[in-house]
């Protein structure tokens, strides 16, 4: 589906507009809940995107806000579009929250990864070895599904209108042997193949750079094609996923990424380092 048209982004636009209209009507969440004869927690979960919202819910909320017919028709249609199925729905139990939908919608992604190869750049054998280390009790069928999901996400890099990807990888991810030397050699070749794509920029921050701006951990900054959809920062952890959407937070991580790039090797020097590491794995 075209960039910016998936249910994930439609839902994000919808709940943001519902929240804006409630605030413009000078109503609290509790007052809205009283008018709709529902719980305040339901209204709160709708506005934060934690639950789905039906077209009927949208009509009732907009009536409470005194919205005009044009606004009501537009947002009800948006609610219908937000409920459509997407290709990643079949992976809902293993996909990281809303992230896959945001990634599919994004025009560009800037990412830093410290300890492992970023998912969009992994070869299949590296992915399988990584899953075996992180999820040792995963059934073969689950491993296969996770590999399929990873490949489907990687297809974004080779579409007619491909995702623009700028990744900074720590040298540690190149040297940490996952799956054995043969797997790492294949992974180094994968770096070379993807790094030649015109929409991909790959930089390595070497050990020699010392401390750097992103030592606290990995993060992703996603930008979308429409101005209606502000950038979002995604921070993944083993316990939960965090999405930062406040302009100050996004600006802070964008600045961090810029400083990280300045400390990293340029793409040509990064490719040379990857080649040297590949020979060491041989």
């Amino acid at each position: 589906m075209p960039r910016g048209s998936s249910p994930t982004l439609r839902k994000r636009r919808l709940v943001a507009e519902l929240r804006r209209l409630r605030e413009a009507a000078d109503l609290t969440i509790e007052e809205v809940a009283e008018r709709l004869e529902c719980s305040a927690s339901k209204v709160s979960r709708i506005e934060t995107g934690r639950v789905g919202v039906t077209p009927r819910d949208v009509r009732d909320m907009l009536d409470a806000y005194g919205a005009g017919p044009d606004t009501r028709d537009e947002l009800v249609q948006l609610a219908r579009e937000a409920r459509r199925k997407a290709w990643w729905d079949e992976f809902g139990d293993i996909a990281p929250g809303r992230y896959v939908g945001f990634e599919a919608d994004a025009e560009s992604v800037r990412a830093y990864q410290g300890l492992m190869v970023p998912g969009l750049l992994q070869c299949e054998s590296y992915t399988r070895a990584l899953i075996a280390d992180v999820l040792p009790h995963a059934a073969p069928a689950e491993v296969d599904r996770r590999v399929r999901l990873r490949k489907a996400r990687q297809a974004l890099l080779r579409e007619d209108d491909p995702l623009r990807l700028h990744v900074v990888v720590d040298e540690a991810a190149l040297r940490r042997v996952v799956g054995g030397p043969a797997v790492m050699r294949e992974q180094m070749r994968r770096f070379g193949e993807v790094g030649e794509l015109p929409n991909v920029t790959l930089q390595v921050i070497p050990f020699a750079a010392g401390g750097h701006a992103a030592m606290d951990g990995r993060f992703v900054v996603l930008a979308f094609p429409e101005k209606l959809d502000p950038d979002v920062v995604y921070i993944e952890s083993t316990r939960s996923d965090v999405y930062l959407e406040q302009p100050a937070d996004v600006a802070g991580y964008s600045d961090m990424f810029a400083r990280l790039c300045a400390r990293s090797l340029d793409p040509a020097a990064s490719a040379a380092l990857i080649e040297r590491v590949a020979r060491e794995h041989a």
Side-chain angles (χ1 to χ4, degrees):
M1 56 182 61
R3 291 268 185 271
S5 66
S6 84
T8 304
L9 208 57
R10 295 298 198 213
K11 181 179 179 180
R12 186 189 185 212
R13 291 180 192 172
L14 174 62
V15 299
E17 189 63 9
L18 289 175
R19 183 169 57 251
R20 186 190 70 79
L21 290 169
R22 175 182 61 77
E23 293 172 348
D26 198 24
L27 292 171
T28 67
I29 287 177
E30 290 73 20
E31 288 170 336
V32 173
E34 184 176 351
R35 294 190 184 192
L36 300 185
E37 298 183 344
C38 68
S39 67
S41 63
K42 176 181 176 178
V43 178
S44 177
R45 290 196 300 271
I46 287 174
E47 288 195 359
T48 55
R50 293 168 58 194
V51 297
V53 55
T54 68
R56 180 173 180 175
D57 288 332
V58 172
R59 290 192 197 96
D60 291 344
M61 296 173 81
L62 294 179
D63 286 343
Y65 305 157
D70 290 344
T71 298
R72 182 174 59 187
D73 290 347
E74 179 183 348
L75 294 190
V76 167
Q77 178 60 27
L78 202 56
R80 293 192 183 103
E81 294 171 356
R83 292 168 64 84
R84 290 181 306 169
K85 294 292 186 181
W87 64 260
W88 53 85
D89 286 336
E90 67 172 294
F91 302 102
D93 57 324
I94 59 173
R98 295 175 287 163
Y99 180 77
V100 174
F102 281 148
E103 184 182 72
D105 279 323
E107 180 177 59
S108 67
V109 166
R110 290 168 288 166
Y112 165 70
Q113 181 61 264
L115 297 179
M116 66 183 75
V117 173
L120 290 178
L121 303 184
Q122 292 175 9
C123 67
E124 180 175 335
S125 61
Y126 184 99
T127 300
R128 289 185 178 278
L130 190 62
I131 294 171
D133 289 333
V134 177
L135 300 172
H137 303 298
E142 180 184 347
V143 174
D144 289 342
R145 289 183 68 227
R146 289 181 179 275
V147 170
R148 283 172 49 214
L149 172 60
R150 190 65 49 87
K151 287 184 174 180
R153 291 173 54 207
Q154 291 173 350
L156 295 170
L157 300 177
R158 298 181 182 274
E159 293 180 339
D160 292 338
D161 179 22
L163 175 69
R164 288 190 286 109
L165 178 66
H166 189 165
V167 174
V168 174
V169 181
D170 198 287
E171 184 176 349
L174 308 182
R175 297 189 178 280
R176 185 178 301 277
V177 178
V178 175
V183 170
M184 294 305 297
R185 288 195 297 273
E186 182 181 350
Q187 181 58 59
M188 297 303 112
R189 288 194 296 272
R190 167 73 176 168
F191 275 135
E193 294 167 1
V194 178
E196 292 178 355
L197 296 175
N199 53 303
V200 174
T201 302
L202 173 60
Q203 292 183 259
V204 176
I205 185 159
F207 291 147
H212 58 76
M215 291 188 69
D216 278 350
R218 56 188 175 178
F219 66 91
V220 181
V221 182
L222 303 106
F224 304 97
E226 299 292 337
K227 291 183 178 180
L228 291 172
D229 305 311
D231 296 357
V232 60
V233 174
Y234 171 67
I235 303 171
E236 182 183 7
S237 69
T238 54
R239 293 187 177 182
S240 63
D241 300 330
V242 177
Y243 297 90
L244 303 177
E245 303 182 52
Q246 293 299 317
D249 292 326
V250 175
Y253 275 90
S254 295
D255 177 69
M256 183 189 302
F257 189 79
R259 288 187 285 123
L260 185 63
C261 291
R263 295 289 300 276
S264 300
L265 301 174
D266 64 30
S270 296
L273 175 57
I274 289 171
E275 290 180 3
R276 289 199 300 273
V277 174
R279 290 194 293 271
E280 292 173 13
H281 286 308

